[in-house]
Amino acid sequence: MADEVVLLGTYVSMFAVRVKIALADKGIQYEYKEENLVNKSPLLLQMNPIHKKIPVLIHNGKPICESLIIVEYIDEVWKDKSPLLPSDPYKRAQARFWADYVDKKIYDGGKKIWTTKVEDQEAANKEFIECLKVLEGELGDKPYFDGESFGFVDLALIPYYSWFPAYEKFGKFSIEPECPKFVAWAKRCMQKENVSKYLSDPDKIYDFVVMLRQRMGIA
């Protein structure tokens, strides 16, 4: 009997994009349901009653929540193809550390750029660039964070790249001159079909951020 796999997500969510890329890399067929986070579906509330957030992967009726946990689950269940986490325990722990760094620093830093007051803009931009430079240091001269192949940290980080044009527009700064190695890495990832196919359209992300700023009363 074939596995029944359903993904609840939203188009603009970098967290849902992670799961889409992981499923595509593994060649898993699944049903995708686009959620409206203003009017959450009964299925989402049933499957994630604690946080009531997307993404949620439903595998044979059982829910798995939180994007990095979902990606690890996918890697463990469908382990015969395209491994995402290293087999070495230490390298696996390091990959988890850097993926966690991405969500703590890049998510918060990016949000700060488009929500901050004008007088704090330069500081927000600088903080974000410093976080990217830390990631550049970890990347080093490797093509990908895991080495020669696209892996867990790359998958955790690349969905944010769709948001970078919005960060640059609202922050009135340019990322590539400050972090050329990072942008080169992102462009390398974009050459992967499963990455370019599922990354959100930056123009739609920009429109989404404009809408969020209006709701928050930010001019």
Side-chain angles (χ1 to χ4, degrees):
M1 186 176 174
D3 286 319
E4 182 185 45
V5 182
V6 178
L7 173 62
L8 310 182
T10 63
Y11 178 80
V12 295
S13 168
M14 66 277 282
F15 307 116
V17 169
R18 287 172 173 170
V19 181
K20 291 178 185 177
I21 295 171
L23 289 167
D25 266 6
K26 297 286 187 176
I28 301 163
Q29 298 293 315
Y30 66 97
E31 180 185 357
Y32 176 71
K33 292 181 182 287
E34 179 77 9
E35 283 288 330
N36 178 351
L37 297 186
V38 176
N39 183 22
K40 297 175 183 179
S41 73
L43 182 61
L44 174 59
L45 298 177
Q46 176 192 348
M47 291 295 166
N48 190 0
I50 305 301
H51 295 303
K52 303 176 179 62
K53 292 180 179 179
I54 54 93
V56 178
L57 186 77
I58 308 168
H59 182 209
N60 294 332
K62 296 177 180 178
I64 304 96
C65 306
E66 301 294 316
S67 64
L68 292 177
I69 294 172
I70 294 171
V71 170
E72 286 201 48
Y73 177 85
I74 290 168
D75 201 40
E76 289 175 10
V77 172
W78 293 279
K79 53 189 171 188
D80 57 331
K81 184 182 179 185
S82 302
L84 294 166
L85 277 154
S87 57
D88 178 77
Y90 177 74
K91 289 182 178 178
R92 197 158 59 241
Q94 289 299 102
R96 290 187 180 116
F97 171 86
W98 286 108
D100 183 65
Y101 177 90
V102 167
D103 280 350
K104 283 189 170 75
K105 296 292 187 178
I106 303 303
Y107 179 82
D108 290 344
K111 186 175 182 180
K112 197 178 289 185
I113 288 170
W114 59 265
T115 58
T116 197
K117 296 175 182 177
V118 174
E119 58 267 28
D120 299 326
Q121 190 70 65
E122 189 175 338
N125 296 352
K126 184 180 178 184
E127 183 181 330
F128 186 74
I129 290 294
E130 285 174 355
C131 293
L132 292 184
K133 287 184 180 295
V134 169
L135 287 167
E136 279 192 326
E138 171 59 19
L139 179 64
D141 294 323
K142 305 187 298 286
Y144 300 101
F145 282 92
D146 192 32
E148 294 300 317
S149 59
F150 183 88
F152 188 68
V153 181
D154 306 287
L155 188 147
L157 182 54
I158 193 60
Y160 285 91
Y161 193 57
S162 296
W163 288 69
F164 278 29
Y167 298 160
E168 290 179 318
K169 285 175 186 174
F170 291 111
K172 296 181 173 59
F173 73 122
S174 182
I175 292 168
E176 187 165 15
E178 297 282 351
C179 302
K181 190 179 288 187
F182 181 90
V183 173
W185 162 84
K187 290 177 178 176
R188 194 176 304 120
C189 292
M190 291 288 287
Q191 291 172 4
K192 274 180 59 71
E193 182 183 355
N194 287 340
V195 172
S196 58
K197 181 178 180 180
Y198 291 105
L199 243 58
S200 308
D201 181 345
D203 291 336
K204 291 183 179 178
I205 296 294
Y206 176 78
D207 292 342
F208 177 68
V209 174
V210 168
M211 182 268 291
L212 288 178
R213 281 167 58 93
Q214 289 172 343
R215 278 192 187 173
M216 296 167 72
I218 304 170

